[in-house]
Amino acid sequence: MALAKTMERNGKKTPSQRVSEIVDKTQGSQAWNSIFRPGSVFRKGYTDSPRNRSYVVMNSVLYHLHPVKVKRHAVKVSYTLCLGGLSFFLFILLTITGIFLMFFYRPTAAQAWNDIYTLQTSVTFGLLVRNMHRWAAHLMVLTVFLHMARVFYHGAYKPPREFNWVIGVILLTLTLLLSFTGYLLPWDQLSLWAVTVGTNMMGYTPVFGDQVRFVLLGGKEIGTDTLLRWYVLHVLFVPFVTVIFLAIHFWRVRKDGGISGPL
Ligand code: HEM
């Protein structure tokens, strides 16, 4: 105490005063720190310094999904046209509208068509949500294809991104599979014949053709077993696998140093 008083009298700062000055500089003013103390929303205070900006991103559950630093060209809409982002947005929209449709749809040959009809005519927002699901599905095929074309045009498939290109090809296949399996579910003439033609073509697979066709149809010809099989593929299996590959895809974009640069 005596030392501190002597130092104050001589106009010098005590060691603890110097420490709190440093803390203020790195973590913001004491007023901010008393509000945003550890355990609060901004754990490292709110001073606008490069270090604190990084902490805000790293310490938040939602923000930490984003990289701390993003290259300037990567946020230019004209570079990616946001096509990958749009594909992902449509995937989320399809999931939400799809869950809504599941409340009103039963995958049996006797009920499927009637359920869709009732959904459109008697359920509040039924027609709207069904059309949103249909249009989003068509659009997603388009945006994924355009995204692939954009990636190709920028040469972004070259090292170090060749692995992510392969993941992308798998995602394209999964997107097409989601689209095709969903096509059967309304159980109308269009769906029945599209799937008959599709599975007949797969029947020409070398060596295992008959087995492949049998597995896909759940029997020798298209029927209620086929519908149940494709329903489970459409609402559960393919989306689940897609989510896994999307996670790998996004993780790779980060690991490969963010979006590729302009040529
Ligand atoms: C469900 C489908 C897909 C989704 C949701 C998706 C999503 C994304 C997103 C959000 C990005 C960040 C940059 C951007 O928006 O362009 C990206 C980058 C990338 N995607 Fe996809 N993608 C999909 C399919 C594909 C396909 C089909 C390919 C290629 C065959 C592909 C290859 C790549 C590559 C190589 C990158 C890095 C691009 C760069 O660094 O410039 N993706 N993807």
Side-chain angles (χ1 to χ4, degrees):
M1 275 307 272
L3 176 70
K5 278 196 179 150
T6 321
M7 289 181 87
E8 261 176 40
R9 232 178 288 128
N10 293 343
K12 286 190 179 156
K13 286 171 189 156
T14 63
S16 67
Q17 277 172 330
R18 267 194 251 140
V19 168
S20 40
E21 253 180 32
I22 294 168
V23 169
D24 279 355
K25 272 185 196 153
T26 54
Q27 300 200 339
S29 70
Q30 277 180 342
W32 275 111
N33 277 333
S34 60
I35 301 166
F36 298 115
R37 61 192 177 281
S40 178
V41 178
F42 298 105
R43 288 168 183 241
K44 290 285 174 181
Y46 197 65
T47 316
D48 190 8
S49 64
R51 172 188 283 223
N52 267 353
R53 285 191 208 164
S54 310
Y55 278 135
V56 168
V57 174
M58 285 187 289
N59 290 337
S60 154
V61 177
L62 278 181
Y63 290 167
H64 91 279
L65 295 174
H66 299 280
V68 167
K69 285 183 182 171
V70 181
K71 288 177 205 143
R72 195 175 285 272
H73 69 262
V75 281
K76 259 186 135 186
V77 179
S78 57
Y79 187 68
T80 61
L81 301 174
C82 202
L83 288 164
L86 277 174
S87 310
F88 185 56
F89 167 75
L90 289 168
F91 181 73
I92 302 287
L93 188 69
L94 281 160
T95 310
I96 296 167
T97 51
I99 291 172
F100 178 89
L101 298 179
M102 281 174 78
F103 282 111
F104 305 99
Y105 176 83
R106 286 162 295 179
T108 66
Q111 289 157 322
W113 192 86
N114 282 322
D115 282 353
I116 299 269
Y117 186 75
T118 317
L119 172 86
Q120 290 196 172
T121 49
S122 312
V123 175
T124 315
F125 296 125
L127 181 62
L128 176 74
V129 178
R130 185 189 174 201
N131 277 332
M132 279 171 73
H133 195 76
R134 239 188 136 86
W135 278 100
H138 293 319
L139 274 177
M140 187 176 161
V141 173
L142 186 71
T143 53
V144 169
F145 182 79
L146 290 177
H147 167 61
M148 187 176 77
R150 188 298 285 172
V151 168
F152 182 77
Y153 174 72
H154 282 148
Y157 54 84
K158 292 177 190 166
R161 297 183 174 79
E162 67 274 50
F163 176 66
N164 215 12
W165 174 266
V166 176
I167 300 293
V169 174
I170 296 173
L171 280 172
L172 176 69
T173 315
L174 288 167
T175 307
L176 296 177
L177 271 177
L178 275 172
S179 202
F180 195 48
T181 49
Y183 206 72
L184 180 66
L185 307 188
W187 204 244
D188 53 14
Q189 286 295 314
L190 208 61
S191 343
L192 285 172
W193 293 113
V195 172
T196 305
V197 172
T199 47
N200 276 346
M201 281 163 65
M202 289 171 212
Y204 287 104
T205 309
V207 190
F208 306 109
D210 284 344
Q211 284 84 345
V212 169
R213 197 164 170 275
F214 189 83
V215 169
L216 286 174
L217 290 178
K220 289 256 179 243
E221 57 184 36
I222 191 163
T224 220
D225 290 338
T226 322
L227 185 54
L228 179 61
R229 204 155 275 208
W230 286 48
Y231 176 73
V232 175
L233 284 174
H234 185 74
V235 304
L236 215 70
F237 185 77
V238 188
F240 182 70
V241 178
T242 308
V243 166
I244 293 174
F245 278 95
L246 279 177
I248 302 175
H249 196 57
F250 297 152
W251 169 72
R252 266 333 303 176
V253 172
R254 284 280 282 276
K255 284 285 161 190
D256 294 337
I259 308 298
S260 60
L263 290 174

